Amino acid sequence: MLQIKDLSITHKKDLRVIMKDFSCVLNYGDKAVIIGEEGNGKSTLMKWIYNPELAEEYVECTGERIIGKEKLCYLPQELPATERETTIYEFFAESDFFFDYSPKDLMQMAKEFHLDVDFFYSEQKMGTLSGGEKIKAQLMRILMEKPTVLLLDEPSNDIDIKTLELLEDIINKWEYIVLYISHDEMLIENTANMVIHLEQIKRKTEPRFTVAKMDYRRYVEERLHNFERQLQQAQSERREKRIRDEKFAKIYQEVQNQLASCSRQAPSVAKNLKDKMHSVKSMGRRFEREDENMTEMPEQEEAIFFKLGGSELAIPAGKTVIEFELEELLTPDGKRVLAKDIKLAVRGSKKICIVGHNGIGKTTLLKKIASDLLERKDIRAEYIPQNYEDVLDLTQTPVDFLDTTGDKEEITRIRTYLGALKYTADEMERPIAELSGGQKAKVLLLKMSLSGTNVLILDEPTRNFSPLSGPVIRKMLSEFSGAIISISHDRKYMEEVCDIIYELTEKGLATLRG
């Protein structure tokens, strides 16, 4: 059993309370997903559960964590900087449990994770692995240690579809406790039997949490149903209150007028009117007490609101967006051939997705495509890489990064748009380095919107958005009137947004759909 009692978390910098009196109990068999919008404290909660010291740098926490004899293992959202320069072999050798596994056991695990059989003994640096390979390596080392509590922060990020299916199988068959954060709705729908929802309501001034022992689809449906029922009840009570208050105001005014016109020669009448006013005032106090118990107007943290471009950005059906050919796709260091004979032609406002197993070179290929398209003058292309730091100046604030003119009206417009993306005034003035991955992604999305782009080049565009915001992002991209060339393993994204899906293999691009 893992128990959290009365946990409160406050940001040290702006003193914003992101969690208050949070309590939760996890038992064997629980597969709990933490959901919530970007910046609501999901990763901070995960870090605190694993080791409170990991969160002490930027938040103050009060509360109790009871772990008993449970063994916790933690998959962070990003590979720690201290491990990026270690070789793959050194990374695994840091765990004493690694040497309990025979070469045959390791070979079998590598096959399950769709890796080369000699992966564990490689001298390749961990930092040079693809995003999906880093996740696989960390997850395998965690499983070797035989924990009873799996704490997984975005385990679905960047892994290929076969490994996503393996991850689902691992979670579903886990006998102990799994607590994870993910933006992959399909993974959540297929695995979670418990939902922990972290919200920031009242313009991010008040935290709220919900712990629901149910699957995600049922939670979403019941949340919507309860919201609508509470809204109808609250509106009905307020209508009745308005009618009642109008009647009460008329009675009060009539008695007050009668008292004002009452002559001194009629003391008995005056007394009766005073008694009547006393009764009316008593009635008013009773109404005030009743109003205190009225059903509150429901408030929930809404998904982000966003729209990308308009019909004026549409590309003519016959226009060539790109005619790309590459004889050999090499690793970034140029030492190994990843794929050969790559050909990609995109015309009109097509939406393309490239999939493939981890390490095949999808991100490397997309960077080359982006390099070509960003130089073109007949189109306006924008690129969101897998690593946001490649294009973001982390020392700037979101407003500074987006502002290109210094004009007051432009700055006001940027602030309005950031507000629609759930930024607080304080977050708009923070260095981008202090923002969550999802908040950084929103800055880049807004840059695309403001730039009037008609070609998007996107590396895992949905990876950092909450499950509740995911449908908004997919709808926005689906309705975009320009062209999209993307990499993704998000199955809902591929289904709802993409016209054509290619698989990158060693022999080039193979058409899977379209």
Side-chain angles (χ1 to χ4, degrees):
M1 182 185 76
L2 170 65
Q3 185 174 7
I4 303 154
K5 295 175 68 175
D6 301 323
L7 172 63
S8 294
I9 301 177
T10 305
H11 266 297
K12 287 183 176 179
K13 185 169 183 178
D14 61 7
L15 302 181
R16 182 165 66 92
V17 179
I18 59 173
M19 196 169 297
K20 187 175 181 181
D21 300 331
F22 174 81
S23 295
C24 180
V25 177
L26 297 172
N27 296 298
Y28 285 1
D30 285 340
K31 299 142 193 353
V33 62
I34 306 174
I35 66 170
E37 293 302 311
E38 294 72 32
N40 282 5
K42 301 185 296 297
S43 293
T44 300
L45 172 61
M46 184 79 79
K47 288 177 183 176
W48 183 86
I49 292 172
Y50 177 65
N51 179 359
E53 291 181 3
L54 293 178
E56 286 179 355
E57 181 180 344
Y58 59 98
V59 293
E60 290 184 355
C61 304
T62 60
E64 187 177 2
R65 127 192 192 277
I66 302 170
I67 59 176
K69 296 181 179 179
E70 305 299 342
K71 181 175 181 179
L72 280 59
C73 278
Y74 169 56
L75 174 75
Q77 192 174 120
E78 300 288 344
L79 181 70
T82 54
E83 295 179 331
R84 291 173 191 166
E85 292 302 312
T86 64
T87 67
I88 294 173
Y89 175 72
E90 290 169 340
F91 175 78
F92 283 100
E94 287 175 2
S95 170
D96 294 335
F97 295 87
F98 173 65
F99 299 101
D100 294 338
Y101 284 75
S102 68
K104 184 178 179 181
D105 294 333
L106 295 175
M107 186 183 298
Q108 181 60 36
M109 182 177 281
K111 284 183 177 179
E112 288 177 358
F113 279 82
H114 313 290
L115 294 165
D116 293 337
V117 293
D118 59 351
F119 178 79
F120 296 99
Y121 303 100
S122 173
E123 292 300 310
Q124 184 178 353
K125 295 288 183 68
M126 285 291 295
T128 66
L129 294 175
S130 71
E133 288 172 325
K134 290 172 187 172
I135 295 289
K136 289 180 182 182
Q138 293 175 91
L139 190 55
M140 287 190 294
R141 192 173 78 171
I142 283 172
L143 294 174
M144 287 177 182
E145 299 189 6
K146 294 183 169 57
T148 58
V149 180
L150 286 178
L151 302 172
L152 310 176
D153 193 346
E154 297 292 357
S156 54
N157 268 5
D158 306 323
I159 58 176
D160 54 46
I161 293 173
K162 287 184 178 179
T163 310
L164 266 173
E165 293 169 350
L166 174 63
L167 177 62
E168 288 181 358
D169 193 53
I170 290 170
I171 293 174
N172 283 326
K173 290 180 178 178
W174 194 254
E175 298 177 6
Y176 308 106
I177 295 169
V178 184
L179 179 65
Y180 68 99
I181 301 167
S182 179
H183 296 127
D184 188 311
E185 288 173 70
M186 194 167 287
L187 173 73
I188 295 171
E189 290 174 2
N190 291 345
T191 57
N193 59 17
M194 182 174 177
V195 177
I196 299 171
H197 187 181
L198 306 183
E199 295 180 89
Q200 292 282 323
I201 58 175
K202 298 181 180 177
R203 297 182 179 273
K204 283 195 170 183
T205 61
E206 184 178 310
R208 183 172 70 185
F209 68 88
T210 304
V211 177
K213 289 259 188 177
M214 61 183 70
D215 64 71
Y216 178 69
R217 271 297 119 212
R218 183 180 159 201
Y219 172 72
V220 171
E221 290 168 2
E222 289 198 6
R223 178 174 180 261
L224 179 60
H225 175 72
N226 292 337
F227 180 88
E228 291 175 346
R229 184 176 59 187
Q230 184 180 344
L231 179 62
Q232 290 173 359
Q233 178 69 21
Q235 288 175 336
S236 175
E237 290 177 7
R238 278 154 182 76
R239 281 194 298 269
E240 293 174 2
K241 177 183 183 304
R242 187 170 61 252
I243 294 169
R244 182 205 68 191
D245 288 350
E246 288 174 357
K247 290 180 178 178
F248 175 77
K250 286 181 180 178
I251 294 172
Y252 186 93
Q253 191 63 46
E254 285 175 3
V255 176
Q256 194 173 46
N257 290 340
Q258 289 172 359
L259 268 172
S261 62
C262 181
S263 68
R264 297 190 180 196
Q265 285 77 20
S268 59
V269 175
K271 182 179 182 305
N272 288 338
L273 287 173
K274 288 178 180 177
D275 290 343
K276 190 173 182 180
M277 177 58 80
H278 179 75
S279 299
V280 170
K281 288 182 177 179
S282 296
M283 184 189 299
R285 289 191 291 271
R286 177 164 58 83
F287 288 159
E288 289 175 359
R289 289 194 298 272
E290 290 175 357
D291 291 346
E292 291 176 359
N293 296 319
M294 285 178 64
T295 302
E296 289 186 6
M297 290 294 288
E299 184 167 352
Q300 60 182 346
E301 186 177 34
E302 301 291 346
I304 62 173
F305 172 78
F306 201 81
K307 190 171 183 179
L308 187 61
S311 58
E312 72 280 359
L313 300 178
I315 297 175
K319 181 175 176 58
T320 298
V321 174
I322 191 169
E323 197 88 50
F324 183 85
E325 292 189 14
L326 188 66
E327 287 187 12
E328 290 185 335
L329 178 66
L330 303 175
T331 54
D333 60 12
K335 294 181 179 179
R336 186 162 59 92
V337 177
L338 296 169
K340 294 182 177 181
D341 301 323
I342 296 172
K343 296 179 181 179
L344 176 66
V346 179
R347 292 181 176 82
S349 297
K350 289 294 184 182
K351 296 172 175 60
I352 308 298
C353 182
I354 300 172
V355 301
H357 67 74
N358 293 130
I360 192 63
K362 300 184 298 297
T363 291
T364 302
L365 173 60
L366 197 67
K367 284 181 179 179
K368 290 183 176 296
I369 292 171
S371 179
D372 284 2
L373 291 176
L374 292 171
E375 295 296 321
R376 292 265 295 277
K377 303 299 183 185
D378 59 324
I379 59 174
R380 187 173 184 87
E382 289 285 350
Y383 172 45
I384 296 187
Q386 189 178 99
N387 182 5
Y388 302 145
E389 296 179 13
D390 290 348
V391 292
L392 285 172
D393 181 346
L394 300 183
T395 64
Q396 289 186 304
T397 68
V399 174
D400 291 338
F401 178 78
L402 294 166
D403 177 29
T404 58
T405 66
D407 182 74
K408 286 186 177 180
E409 290 185 4
E410 174 72 2
I411 293 173
T412 299
R413 189 159 66 104
I414 289 169
R415 288 179 174 278
T416 301
Y417 286 139
L418 287 170
L421 293 175
K422 307 302 179 185
Y423 277 83
T424 64
D426 177 73
E427 288 167 339
M428 295 178 197
E429 298 301 331
R430 286 184 190 175
I432 292 173
E434 297 181 10
L435 301 178
S436 69
Q439 288 171 313
K440 292 172 184 173
K442 287 176 181 178
V443 170
L444 292 174
L445 278 175
L446 186 50
K447 181 176 183 289
M448 290 192 308
S449 178
L450 295 173
S451 70
T453 179
N454 56 8
V455 178
L456 304 181
I457 310 152
L458 310 173
D459 197 341
E460 297 286 358
T462 60
R463 68 195 289 262
N464 278 311
F465 292 102
S466 78
L468 297 173
S469 287
V472 178
I473 298 298
R474 294 195 298 272
K475 185 173 187 293
M476 172 197 78
L477 294 173
S478 177
E479 294 175 352
F480 176 60
S481 56
I484 298 176
I485 301 172
S486 62
I487 295 170
S488 182
H489 299 114
D490 182 334
R491 291 160 286 184
K492 285 187 180 287
Y493 169 81
M494 287 187 276
E495 179 183 328
E496 297 175 17
V497 177
C498 302
D499 304 311
I500 304 172
I501 298 176
Y502 294 108
E503 181 181 13
L504 179 60
T505 70
E506 293 177 353
K507 297 179 180 180
L509 289 170
T511 304
L512 295 184
R513 192 187 82 197

